[in-house]
Amino acid sequence: MNPARVRRFLTDLKKGKLTIDETLSKLKLLPFEDIGDAVIDHHRELRRGFPEAILAEGKSVDQIARIAKKMKQRGSNVLITRLSPQNARELKKKLPELDYHRLARIGLILGKRIEKQGKGTILVVCAGTSDLPVAEEAALTAQVLGNEVDRLTDVGVAGVHRLLAQKEKLTQARVLIVVAGMEGALPSVVGGLLARPVIAVPTSVGYGASFQGVAALLSMLNSCVPGVVVVNIDNGYGAGCAASLINKS
Amino acid sequence: MNPARVRRFLTDLKKGKLTIDETLSKLKLLPFEDIGDAVIDHHRELRRGFPEAILAEGKSVDQIARIAKKMKQRGSNVLITRLSPQNARELKKKLPELDYHRLARIGLILGKRIEKQGKGTILVVCAGTSDLPVAEEAALTAQVLGNEVDRLTDVGVAGVHRLLAQKEKLTQARVLIVVAGMEGALPSVVGGLLARPVIAVPTSVGYGASFQGVAALLSMLNSCVPGVVVVNIDNGYGAGCAASLINKS
Amino acid sequence: MNPARVRRFLTDLKKGKLTIDETLSKLKLLPFEDIGDAVIDHHRELRRGFPEAILAEGKSVDQIARIAKKMKQRGSNVLITRLSPQNARELKKKLPELDYHRLARIGLILGKRIEKQGKGTILVVCAGTSDLPVAEEAALTAQVLGNEVDRLTDVGVAGVHRLLAQKEKLTQARVLIVVAGMEGALPSVVGGLLARPVIAVPTSVGYGASFQGVAALLSMLNSCVPGVVVVNIDNGYGAGCAASLINKS
Amino acid sequence: MNPARVRRFLTDLKKGKLTIDETLSKLKLLPFEDIGDAVIDHHRELRRGFPEAILAEGKSVDQIARIAKKMKQRGSNVLITRLSPQNARELKKKLPELDYHRLARIGLILGKRIEKQGKGTILVVCAGTSDLPVAEEAALTAQVLGNEVDRLTDVGVAGVHRLLAQKEKLTQARVLIVVAGMEGALPSVVGGLLARPVIAVPTSVGYGASFQGVAALLSMLNSCVPGVVVVNIDNGYGAGCAASLINKS
Amino acid sequence: MNPARVRRFLTDLKKGKLTIDETLSKLKLLPFEDIGDAVIDHHRELRRGFPEAILAEGKSVDQIARIAKKMKQRGSNVLITRLSPQNARELKKKLPELDYHRLARIGLILGKRIEKQGKGTILVVCAGTSDLPVAEEAALTAQVLGNEVDRLTDVGVAGVHRLLAQKEKLTQARVLIVVAGMEGALPSVVGGLLARPVIAVPTSVGYGASFQGVAALLSMLNSCVPGVVVVNIDNGYGAGCAASLINKS
Amino acid sequence: MNPARVRRFLTDLKKGKLTIDETLSKLKLLPFEDIGDAVIDHHRELRRGFPEAILAEGKSVDQIARIAKKMKQRGSNVLITRLSPQNARELKKKLPELDYHRLARIGLILGKRIEKQGKGTILVVCAGTSDLPVAEEAALTAQVLGNEVDRLTDVGVAGVHRLLAQKEKLTQARVLIVVAGMEGALPSVVGGLLARPVIAVPTSVGYGASFQGVAALLSMLNSCVPGVVVVNIDNGYGAGCAASLINKS
Amino acid sequence: MNPARVRRFLTDLKKGKLTIDETLSKLKLLPFEDIGDAVIDHHRELRRGFPEAILAEGKSVDQIARIAKKMKQRGSNVLITRLSPQNARELKKKLPELDYHRLARIGLILGKRIEKQGKGTILVVCAGTSDLPVAEEAALTAQVLGNEVDRLTDVGVAGVHRLLAQKEKLTQARVLIVVAGMEGALPSVVGGLLARPVIAVPTSVGYGASFQGVAALLSMLNSCVPGVVVVNIDNGYGAGCAASLINKS
Amino acid sequence: MNPARVRRFLTDLKKGKLTIDETLSKLKLLPFEDIGDAVIDHHRELRRGFPEAILAEGKSVDQIARIAKKMKQRGSNVLITRLSPQNARELKKKLPELDYHRLARIGLILGKRIEKQGKGTILVVCAGTSDLPVAEEAALTAQVLGNEVDRLTDVGVAGVHRLLAQKEKLTQARVLIVVAGMEGALPSVVGGLLARPVIAVPTSVGYGASFQGVAALLSMLNSCVPGVVVVNIDNGYGAGCAASLINKS
């Protein structure tokens, strides 16, 4: 509650500029005003250098194009996730500057140069070939958000030595994103080796009782390694954002 | 269908010893007879040297005692699983020869000496201290069934080097039982190291989204290591039986 | 921890060849090295005669072809699972030596002759016609891994006598793979008849409350017959691998 | 509405012992009568062929006693299910004529002699000792509802010959209730042998992935034997009612 | 093989028209017959009162045709469920006598006249228009199995009076099949009105939290009306079989 | 029970026009009649001004057309939900007066002018662009049912200030419908600000562990704001009906 | 802080009884007040129309007492839900004016007279005796919030005529709360009879596949009657709040 | 293994206070040490930056004491989570230096002074009074790991202004841990306000369809705010570790 503002209401009431009912209804709205003040300043700060993203899934090409144009006009970089090849082709007709990354299923419109803001390297570790689209979504997101990104691919727990052979890369990262489907054990093994933040990303890779990634998700949430944190199934974009927030802190 | 038997029916019908209705109702029962024949011989072989087990959970002490006595009279070794300390105390009053193993929650009445029948060693690997009761249930079951059993304890994936320091034990086993709760990743890591049958046992150890062992169960069913097989949550007894069947083959 | 190696570090430190900080950072990496050593030897042994498999689902034809070629060049037999007829056709254009088994949905490239290594026969028992693709995936996998394989088809529990009429086949097997969808009762009935390892494979055959194989999976995990072990839904390949590991032990 | 009672009113009216108004006011009370907490549906006996039962679970002893007394006063037989031994003892103080069946957890107050109304025998088949309480609930319910009941106990699918040895009992029943926990396969095996209605009752017996009877329930709903019907987990009472309805049709 | 036919063979044997060997060879096929993929259970009709049906889902048109032809040759009526219009068209080319019922998705080949064997009428009650395919599958199955069948359509609980206006039909049935999706309340309301066996069939009609029929299934399993029995989601065929078994008892 | 009617039966019995058995059988049917009487009047009232809706999903275009024509003939307005663009096109050929709203997926045939009956405004608040189809289904339904409807779009909790900037709209509504997918937090935030009924509608928007709207549904059911009520996932139509009932009360 | 009180302050200010500073310091406490563990939202009553309630479950008696005292001091009525008899006894020692309603498990401290603010009657309809605690929680909550409340008890769908006999009560209500466990069908039947808002409350009454109220919850969410809205399982308090919001609109 | 300690050994070696053999034998014990049930991973502190914790749940007081003593002897700080008051009392008899924090359910034995290593402040935000135990577990863990920790309590989304009034605290944190049960919306609202890493901790607070924290967990995994990461239900310890890893990076 902003005391100055309430004092003004009371003065106006006393002076007869407001009736009791008007004053009462103004008091009812106080939390709205308070929140508004609090948020708006902050929001400006938040938006600095942070491109807004569009989740293409569940939107028509027309809707995507309309939103992207608005963002572009405001000078934002535009990042479109889960963009299918077909939709990318159609979208490109409306937005020729669109840059489509097929493996990551990401469309980019980069008006501003990306400046490196992260303090270290983000390493994206990927269990198997089929997990690559999600890993690439994470890696590309982190890059667009201004981070140095490294990749480590096809190092599942079935052959732990393949992972360990890459100790250089592992120990040099400041933040790790570990992407795995099926039994989702890789983040636990990686997390057990290093004193770095590990963001685990379950993928929907698998069949039967993997339940489209639920097995991997539960595995990661129940990791016996403390400090492993988890994002939604296939949510490479969210992992890239989280890693970026950490890397910039 | 046993042709000789049908021929006998038909002959009896022809001779008037059977009416058409009697013959028809005998033919209706044919599968019963066939199955009976097939099974009974076999069952005798099955029972050889194999003690029957009693699942104590959900049974009264009276029921357990009554079944155990019958089995004893037939000369079987008796193995009682999921026997609580309280019930063990009460049961001992009725069956003084009962030998109770508290950690494994198993009660034993061994009338016959156990003879070693397994061809190699069964190794029971256990992820954490809290998984020990299930691991011991598996190990003791396998021993009572006539197998050499070795144990490897507290070698979870959070510190993979602890596991690998034991490579001697791991490579000497003919069959492995790997017991783990939480994220259940241990059987995948073990299975990736060895060309041996691995029986994974999820335990209900964990909390929250472990769902009493479901996370570990799913993790094991979805292992990226082909050839890992799984038994029910906390089912140390079943794992011991399976390992024994394999070790005797 | 490899003592010789640590001794060398310490000697170097003492001799001034390493600073304290350098020694410390070398010690930090020790577990990595240890694990690497442990695994690599073993892994070589593991790979002997064991073809690597490619799960085609979730991979593009290009990705499959690239991996398969690499494996072929290393002299491995190649086994591609879950390969759809369309993808098989396309793949054959890139890999003419591909041998496609439509029912099992398996593609094979056999550079080396398969030598029989299993000690006995693996019997694949199949509940219904619709379960055949999974059963064939198991059978073919086991064959490629060097095992004698026999088959028993369409012997569901709705007519138990059909199963029992085959007691010869059943009793002659060293390991059994039992494939069933719907209520998944067959492994329990088979397991109750024989003192042999039984690997149960639930299939996604069924509808409604079968939940794409979950009903069968739960049924098998809860089998009242001790010693039945289970693999993931539709995981014929995993069952074939497990049976092979047992049969070669 | 108890038909005998209505007939008596009508006879009394016809004989002049009751006026039309008296008869009407007596009938008025028949369909339901508010007794505070519960409204006993007296009309149900007429409409559904059996008296209302009281589910003791979730009710206080006072509530049970109050409802039971009202039912008794109307001349109904009273059947109380899920009555714990403790509550039975307390209830008996208020209702000394209560007859408690501990295994079935049923309390009975039989004012009227039960007359046999079923056309054949109902056979209750039970997989294991731990399933007995549910099986007895079914059997006793069916008896109280006026049916001839036979029992077959401990004939699980792990030893199919034990079941088949009872072919007389099986083939003589008009309706079968088959009670099983764990993998719930018994109704499928029984149903495959006979041309009789089979009511499957899953029990909560089991552990781990049995999920308190869900595994057995799903198994029964997915039975490969057409014509098997299912009731809720542990719902012996419902199975007894269903069997009785069929047996009286 | 149907009982009438076996009786004819036996009569012929008794009359001397057939020798024992000839009869035996005719009966030889009784228990089952292997036709490649599938083993037909010829004894089933004798044992269970109705012939095996073919579930078309998950089978190729070739497989269906092969099984159907063998059944036809043995003189069985053939009932094919879940047959899509496309597959029906293709199948008709191979089996011109196929009679396809599009709403019920059932294909029929009736070599023998269906004789009425049921003692009363089976009434199929259907909650909504979208539930009709399942209701028709139930109704047609019951008819083919020799029962008089009546239908009551679009009488959901949202307008209870539509149901009650049909009291004649309801009270005249000997067995009721009640089909409903969404909240699945109809069997409870119907079951509360009548003293007849009620078989509840949940359908996958609905969206969101109906979970493809799970909501209706659970609703039916938990019916507050004792004696309602349940089959699998969308399992009209199973309901028809169960109703037939009851109606013939 | 209709007393006059029963009195007539009893009089007829007394006069000898009915036998006791006839009277008894007439009494048996009483509850049906009573219910019928009770409901039918009411139902007439209920239907006044309330158009019947057709759920297009799961119905053929023929079925939809047939039902819509019947309703039109009775003078009802027709509202068809979940109508796909393709089906709308085909339906329009049969019903040229059909008015199709593509975003809401609703088809309308309005024979009667809609008269405003609601007492205030219904505000439909929508979290994101992808939730718009469900929000529009709700808004359009409420309009067709005679309510003033306002809309507030794309005000998700990720930027709470966007919501709060609309305080005018929020405080002027009499009933609010709040539509959100993903984490479904919006109804809690809105409900915490206002003393108005809030109907929460979860949508299936989201991926991975959103489980097609289950995450949002659970979030809404567990709202820490008392008084938030919930409808099924994607059930804009149901929310519109509920809001209308409240707004007309 | 309730609106009447704020209005009094403002009037006093206007009349000169309070200075601006005095008024400001009185209003200062408005938004919320920190009392250690909990922050009481005093502004809520102004904003949401009813005071904060205390959910006793998961709080210590000390915590409850501390929060309740602060609320009392501010002049709020205090409503404590899910208060066990034991905790109520202990709490009464600290707060002697506590009024405990055992069936509803609610504790009340009413400093202010409750004034009727609702425009009509709220009818709480309850399916069975075991659902009464939840129904009473709803009814008492609505009363404390200033509504006329009526009750209708034990009118489950198993005997639909019991419900219909109460048509007076049903049609006189402005808002209905319908409480049911097991199959949860009652709200659908009630909702189909009336053009009034129906708030469905699933209860955890039931066993087996009722899954502690999930079956009833799903049934209600999938009601075929449009306009039925749902609250969480056993959430009588939430239903009472929602009904009150509607009744005051 | 505490890095300072190893450095001391190496310095001693370099200075000649230790021979190579003595240093080697001191290091030999470092990686892990078998103490019967549990193998303590001393190397972890070096590798992961913090000492192993003991999860008290599922362990006996004897087991806890034995492990804690060994850790103490190595000079590690000991952190015991999920320690019940009863067990704490018993444990204190064996380990008098144990410091028990009842709200956080944590036992501490701090041999070494905790040195601040984090670069900024970790803010633990807590939705309601009932979530406090989990929040305190997180806060205390982070403190023991060497971080500055601040707290913000009882700021649930039902009154968003309570949260926003604390914007100072919110914007000053480097890492945020947000703890919430029920609908779990708080992390989304907090995450939308700040450009800082947010670790969401779902709690099991709630009832009915909260499913012991699953609703909150899903809500957090599906947050519409990108960059929110999640740990297991009630896993305050894991959140504290993750926040510490981030704060030290």
Side-chain angles (χ1 to χ4, degrees), chain D residues 98-113:
Chain D
L98 183 85
D99 185 17
Y100 183 58
H101 297 251
R102 173 184 282 261
L103 183 57
R105 296 162 303 170
I106 279 180
L108 288 178
I109 303 171
L110 299 180
K112 303 189 300 188
R113 216 180 53 80

Side-chain angles (χ1 to χ4, degrees), chain B residues 108-127:
Chain B
L108 288 178
I109 302 171
L110 299 180
K112 305 189 301 188
R113 216 180 52 80
I114 296 167
E115 37 177 328
K116 285 278 162 313
Q117 297 171 286
K119 297 179 184 164
T121 300
I122 294 171
L123 177 64
V124 180
V125 184
C126 179

